[in-house]
């Protein structure tokens, strides 16, 4: 297999002394040897990170393996130490004829550059824990290894470098010390290799490559069908192309011409070009070292720590609920303590808010909320590292449970987070929908909260357990328990209203919805169910309990009869309403409710501010107007007064009422009877 000598936007360029290809005006260096498309399509990509103390030979090991010097900065070459993360790659043949593509992330070993190391290890699949044979376990060996464990790295190889500089006895002693150090960890020597190598002589390199093939074969493939996320670890500019960003694609797939969004800046960009492990490509898939040439943004608007993801899909967050674990070597972590937070390539200050406890003791795991000084894109299951605020040392880490926290009562919050930590996908969806109450949650918001695609969510919602507990109402998903609680609230609200207002037929739909604090769609669905179940009745826009219209006491019923008879017997020569009400036995408030009821039931009709008529009188007037039309289609005020026997005080308001009712139409000083 011929290894590519391509100029890597993602990894630095071995064809240039500085390791930087920015001077070229093309994506691909002229010394590139391109791999055939058939080989590229049959590759498995795995990201390998180095870890270990300064000067233990991490960069030299990668150069011996790949031929690529991962130290790309002039200062690194001048001082002979790695300062920032560097990159290399290697293709190895697999027994089944396919190709293993290894992307290496080289990290600095000096304690002053641990923050740079953290920017590189967030997306690795396995680790090479590099230990110099003549020095054994050192402080940064321990810290780097703690970081790998906190990030839940599950596979790796311990590499004893500089084996040519020690005798056999020293090498054996170092091996024993390393075995003891790694015991009961993911690199336990009972199932993980410890390989001695010499980057100078090449001794042990073939064994290391074989071990890499074996361990990489155990790495599960990342989900390329998931939503894409690329944490940015490098930003630079290329003449003729503009900004270039690089990173490890931790999930999903990115294609040329895709529309992405830069978080937290919320800038929308288009992917103009892609390179994967130094090769021009039409797409990049999860687990690959990737370089993108984005259009629509400047180099100054991009920085390490930002994330590229599909546009209009996710939200930045400044607050995450997490499960965190404190190292045994750390000091107790107090509530409201400030820490340095690292997640993928992102770094900020965070305040740790503990749930129902004052501190976390070393070795303990606890639920907490992290309040970030700067926003970023984080999703459930993302790992993070915490470092002490001062002095800056690694003290713990953990996993994001919820990046979209909502206010919750104590007790319920812990139960919800425990479901997120330990539940299956369907339980998690039901919990997320349930916590939104009867407000529900849109499918698009569920995508943003979980990081799962619509297809994955729809698949889980189709399961029997979800179908039994989740109801779709328009674009909203509502838990059936929340709907049941809303229905009980609606019934109690109607009952309470009718108890306080016995002379009112019921509560209006809009007032009922406002008191229930429900969206129109969810409220309509709940009300429809209650009416269908005969637990409520609806009369137009008025809602009341079954069989519970207006309930009147004897004196109220008597007053209602007096009012109705007063207007019914008056015909069109009605008395003033206030005069009728003045002689009633009930108080003014109840009197007004009785009148309102008569007007609502259209027993009385108010045609002006001061005039109220009985409906029978107005119906009789309509009949007389119809009979009058046979004599003459037009009528003036004088003729109307003669017809009805009323004065001008009543005639003008009555004619205006007939105009509104389309019984007549005014034409000059006359009315045309329609």
């Amino acid at each position: 297999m011929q290894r590519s000598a391509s100029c890597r936007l993602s990894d630095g360029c071995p064809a240039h002394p500085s390791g930087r290809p920015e001077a070229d005006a093309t994506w691909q260096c002229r010394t590139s040897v391109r791999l055939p498309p058939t080989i590229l399509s049959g590759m498995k990509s795995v990201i390998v990170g180095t870890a270990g103390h300064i000067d233990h030979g991490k960069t030299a090991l990668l150069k011996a393996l790949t031929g690529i010097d991962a130290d790309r900065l002039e200062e690194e070459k001048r001082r002979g130490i790695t300062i920032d993360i560097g990159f290399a790659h290697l293709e190895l043949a697999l027994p089944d004829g396919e190709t293993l593509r290894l992307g290496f992330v080289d990290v600095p070993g000096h304690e002053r550059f641990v923050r740079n190391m953290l920017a590189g290890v967030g997306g690795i699949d396995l680790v090479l824990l590099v230990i110099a044979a003549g020095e054994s376990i050192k402080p940064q060996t321990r810290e780097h290894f703690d970081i790998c464990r906190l990030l839940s790295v599950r596979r790796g190889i311990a590499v004893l470098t500089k084996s040519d500089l020690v005798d056999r006895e020293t090498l054996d002693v170092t091996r024993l010390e390393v075995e003891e150090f790694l015991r009961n960890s993911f690199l336990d020597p009972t199932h993980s290799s410890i390989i001695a190598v010499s980057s100078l002589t090449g001794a042990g390199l073939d064994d290391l490559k074989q071990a890499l093939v074996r361990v990489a074969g155990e790495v599960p493939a990342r989900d390329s069908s998931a939503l894409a996320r690329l944490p940015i670890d490098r930003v630079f500019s290329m003449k003729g192309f503009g900004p270039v960003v690089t990173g490890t694609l931790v999930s999903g797939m990115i294609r040329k011409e895709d529309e992405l969004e830069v978080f937290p800046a919320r800038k929308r960009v288009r992917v103009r070009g892609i390179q994967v492990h130094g090769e021009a490509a039409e797409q990049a898939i999860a687990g690959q070292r990737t370089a993108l040439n984005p259009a629509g943004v400047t180099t100054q608007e991009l920085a390490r720590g930002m994330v590229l993801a599909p546009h209009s899909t996710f939200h930045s967050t400044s607050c995450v609920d997490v499960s965190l674990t404190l190292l045994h070597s750390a000091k107790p972590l107090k509530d409201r303590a400030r820490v340095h937070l690292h997640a993928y390539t992102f770094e900020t200050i965070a305040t740790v808010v503990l749930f129902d406890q004052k501190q976390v003791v070393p070795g303990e795991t606890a639920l907490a909320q992290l309040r970030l000084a700067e926003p970023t894109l984080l999703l459930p299951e993302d790992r993070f590292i915490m470092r002490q605020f001062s002095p800056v040392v690694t003290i713990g880490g953990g996993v994001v449970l919820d990046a979209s926290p909502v206010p919750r009562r104590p007790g319920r919050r812990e139960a919800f987070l425990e479901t997120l930590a330990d539940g299956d996908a369907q339980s998690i969806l039901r919990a997320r929908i349930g916590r939104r109450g009867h407000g529900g949650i849109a499918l698009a918001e569920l995508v943003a909260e979980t990081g799962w695609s619509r297809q994955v969510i729809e698949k889980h919602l189709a399961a029997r357990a979800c179908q039994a507990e989740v109801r779709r109402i328009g674009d909203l998903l509502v838990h059936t328990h929340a709907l049941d609680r809303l229905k009980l609230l609606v019934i109690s609200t109607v009952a309470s209203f009718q108890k306080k207002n016995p002379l009112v037929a019921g509560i209006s739909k809009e007032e009922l919805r406002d008191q229930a604090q429900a969206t129109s769609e969810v409220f309509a669905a709940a009300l429809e169910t209650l009416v269908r179940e005969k637990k409520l009745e609806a009369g137009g826009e008025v809602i009341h309990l079954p069989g519970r219209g207006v309930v009147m006491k004897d004196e109220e019923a008597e007053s209602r009869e007096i009012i109705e008879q007063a207007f019914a017997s008056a015909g069109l020569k009605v008395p003033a309403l206030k005069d009728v009400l003045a002689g009633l036995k009930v108080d003014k408030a109840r009197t007004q409710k009785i009148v309102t009821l008569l007007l609502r039931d259209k027993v009385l009709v108010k045609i002006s501010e001061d005039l109220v008529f009985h409906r029978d009188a107005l119906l009789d007037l309509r009949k007389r107007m119809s009979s009058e039309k046979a004599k003459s289609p037009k009528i003036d005020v004088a003729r109307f007064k003669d017809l009805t026997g009323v004065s001008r005080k009543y005639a003008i308001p009555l004619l205006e009422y007939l105009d509104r009712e389309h019984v007549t139409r005014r034409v000059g000083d006359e009315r045309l009877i329609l």
Side-chain angles (χ1 to χ4, degrees):
M1 173 66 64
Q2 184 177 24
R3 180 169 50 79
S4 167
S6 60
C7 172
R8 294 170 306 283
L9 292 181
S10 55
D11 300 339
C13 179
H16 294 81
S18 65
R20 296 177 64 86
E22 288 87 331
D24 279 338
T26 61
W27 276 81
Q28 202 67 31
C29 177
R30 297 179 181 85
T31 61
S32 170
V33 178
R34 302 288 291 277
L35 291 170
T38 54
I39 294 178
L40 291 174
S41 64
M43 284 188 174
K44 178 179 181 180
S45 295
V46 174
I47 302 299
V48 184
T50 64
H53 199 73
I54 184 173
D55 202 31
H56 276 209
K58 296 183 293 296
T59 305
L61 174 63
L62 292 192
K63 187 172 183 179
L65 280 172
T66 68
I68 298 170
D69 185 357
D71 280 348
R72 54 188 169 78
L73 303 177
E74 291 183 7
E75 184 179 357
E76 291 176 318
K77 297 179 183 300
R78 185 178 69 253
R79 296 174 60 182
I81 63 170
T82 300
I83 296 173
D84 201 0
I85 50 177
F87 311 97
H89 68 261
L90 176 67
E91 286 89 32
L92 296 174
L94 297 175
D96 59 6
E98 291 192 354
T99 300
L100 173 65
R101 170 178 276 169
L102 298 174
F104 292 94
V105 180
D106 188 32
V107 303
H110 196 288
E111 61 179 338
R112 290 174 53 193
F113 305 126
V114 171
R115 60 194 297 262
N116 290 343
M117 177 266 184
L118 286 163
V121 297
I124 67 172
D125 297 305
L126 62 93
V127 65
L128 295 181
L129 183 63
V130 178
I131 303 166
E135 297 192 41
S136 193
I137 310 300
K138 290 291 185 179
Q140 256 47 61
T141 311
R142 297 180 184 278
E143 184 170 18
H144 284 202
F145 190 55
D146 282 338
I147 288 169
C148 290
R149 287 191 292 178
L150 290 167
L151 291 175
S152 198
V153 177
R154 302 187 186 281
R155 294 170 181 82
I157 302 168
V159 184
L160 305 182
T161 55
K162 305 184 181 183
S163 62
D164 57 306
L165 300 182
V166 298
D167 55 31
R168 185 68 192 183
E169 183 179 355
T170 302
L171 183 61
D172 289 343
V173 170
T174 301
R175 184 184 295 273
L176 289 172
E177 292 174 349
V178 171
E179 287 177 352
E180 182 61 29
F181 175 67
L182 299 177
R183 204 169 307 283
N184 298 321
S185 74
F186 72 95
L187 290 185
D188 190 299
T190 59
H191 58 75
S192 182
S193 302
I194 300 176
I195 300 175
V197 303
S198 169
S199 302
L200 184 63
T201 67
L205 292 182
D206 287 340
D207 292 339
L208 179 55
K209 289 178 182 179
Q210 291 177 15
L212 281 168
V213 169
R214 177 180 57 78
V215 177
E218 299 171 358
V219 174
R222 299 198 186 211
D223 186 2
S224 59
S225 66
L227 296 167
R229 277 195 300 158
L230 182 77
I232 297 173
D233 54 37
R234 283 187 68 204
V235 178
F236 56 89
S237 179
M238 282 192 69
K239 186 177 180 181
F241 289 91
V244 175
V245 299
T246 74
T248 298
L249 188 57
V250 296
S251 64
M253 177 186 298
I254 296 177
R255 298 180 178 89
K256 286 180 68 173
E257 302 304 321
D258 276 355
E259 297 284 336
L260 302 177
E261 191 170 346
V262 182
F263 292 89
R266 304 307 299 265
K267 293 283 292 185
R268 189 162 173 170
V269 300
R270 176 177 57 84
V271 179
R272 189 159 48 188
I274 300 176
Q275 281 196 9
V276 174
H277 295 284
E279 297 292 337
E282 291 297 311
Q283 65 183 28
I285 62 174
Q288 293 180 332
R289 282 295 305 168
T290 303
L292 302 180
N293 177 212
V297 69
T298 65
T299 307
Q300 290 71 30
E301 294 174 300
L302 299 167
R304 175 181 287 180
M306 292 182 175
V307 181
L308 286 169
H311 71 89
S312 305
T313 301
F314 296 118
H315 310 302
S316 299
T317 182
S318 297
C319 188
V320 290
D321 288 345
V322 304
S323 171
L324 61 84
T325 300
L326 211 58
L327 291 173
H328 289 280
S329 58
K331 296 178 180 178
L333 180 67
K334 295 182 179 179
D335 182 35
R336 306 284 171 167
R338 292 203 297 166
V339 297
H340 294 269
L341 177 81
H342 299 262
Y344 293 115
T345 61
F346 175 73
E347 174 189 358
T348 192
I349 301 298
T351 300
V352 181
V353 180
L354 300 175
F355 295 153
D356 300 325
Q357 59 188 104
K358 296 299 183 182
Q359 67 175 20
V360 184
V361 299
E364 184 182 12
T365 297
L367 296 174
Q369 187 170 92
L370 301 181
R371 298 175 183 174
L372 315 183
E374 302 169 83
T376 189
L377 173 58
L378 286 172
L379 294 176
E381 298 186 31
D382 284 346
R383 309 291 304 193
F384 63 89
I385 296 295
M386 295 185 306
R387 307 193 80 211
Q388 192 169 279
F389 189 74
S390 180
V392 184
V393 294
T394 302
I395 58 172
V399 62
V400 174
L401 300 177
D402 186 19
S404 308
V406 297
R408 297 183 64 82
R409 292 198 298 271
R412 288 192 177 185
R413 175 176 54 198
E414 285 76 2
F416 171 72
L417 293 179
E418 286 168 3
T419 299
L420 299 189
D422 302 323
D424 58 22
Q426 293 165 30
S427 299
I428 290 171
L429 282 178
R430 295 198 301 272
R432 287 190 175 278
I433 294 168
R435 73 165 170 169
R436 297 289 180 156
H438 61 248
I441 183 171
L443 184 60
E445 192 61 30
L446 265 183
V447 170
E449 279 195 10
T450 60
W452 302 340
S453 67
R454 283 177 174 263
Q455 293 79 3
V456 169
I457 292 175
E458 290 283 12
K459 175 184 174 183
H460 291 305
L461 289 175
R464 183 179 301 175
C466 283
Q467 286 188 328
E469 295 188 29
V470 176
R471 181 171 171 187
R472 289 179 184 265
I473 301 175
D475 188 45
L476 294 176
L477 297 163
V478 185
H479 202 288
T480 53
H481 292 167
L483 270 179
D484 290 341
R485 289 193 295 270
L486 174 61
K487 289 191 291 184
L488 290 174
L489 174 61
V490 169
I491 292 172
S492 66
T493 301
V494 174
S496 176
F497 179 86
Q498 290 196 253
K499 184 177 181 180
K500 294 177 182 177
N501 302 275
L503 298 182
V504 180
I507 185 172
S508 71
K509 285 183 181 179
E510 195 56 36
E511 183 180 353
L512 181 58
R513 187 181 74 82
D514 286 344
Q515 290 195 34
Q517 296 183 330
T519 62
S520 56
E521 297 90 343
V522 176
F523 173 75
L527 186 59
E528 179 186 357
T529 303
L530 289 170
V531 171
R532 186 173 63 251
E533 294 172 348
K534 301 187 183 306
K535 294 178 180 177
L536 289 178
E537 292 179 355
E541 292 297 308
V542 176
I543 309 300
H544 58 84
L545 297 174
R548 288 281 303 277
V550 177
V551 179
M552 289 190 175
K553 298 177 181 178
D554 290 344
E555 67 269 19
E556 293 166 347
E558 181 183 345
S559 296
R560 185 185 191 282
E561 183 68 20
I562 290 171
I563 296 171
E564 183 178 353
Q565 285 301 316
F567 286 94
S569 61
L572 295 178
K573 297 178 182 180
V574 294
L577 179 60
K578 63 181 180 180
D579 294 338
V580 175
L581 302 182
L584 300 178
K585 298 178 181 179
V586 296
D587 58 71
K588 185 176 180 180
R590 286 190 291 168
T591 298
Q592 187 59 51
K593 288 180 180 179
I594 294 171
V595 172
T596 300
L597 181 63
L598 288 166
L599 291 171
R600 193 211 70 202
D601 292 342
K602 294 184 170 39
V603 174
L604 299 182
V605 179
K606 192 173 187 179
I607 68 169
S608 71
E609 189 63 33
D610 300 319
L611 291 176
V612 176
F613 292 82
H614 195 278
R615 63 186 172 191
D616 291 344
L618 293 176
L619 180 61
D620 180 65
L621 176 62
R622 283 173 178 262
K623 291 178 180 178
R624 279 194 275 174
M625 293 298 291
S626 179
S627 299
E628 196 67 17
K629 182 180 179 181
K631 300 177 184 179
S632 173
K634 293 184 179 180
I635 189 170
D636 58 16
V637 174
R639 185 178 162 200
F640 182 79
K641 289 166 61 180
D642 291 340
L643 174 68
T644 58
V646 298
S647 66
R648 187 177 182 87
K649 170 186 174 182
Y650 298 101
I652 298 301
L654 283 169
L655 284 169
E656 290 175 347
Y657 163 76
L658 293 173
D659 290 343
R660 292 194 300 272
E661 293 294 307
H662 303 291
V663 176
T664 60
R665 184 175 72 241
R666 184 172 180 175
V667 181
D669 292 332
E670 295 181 314
R671 255 80 177 182
L672 181 66
I673 303 174
L674 302 177

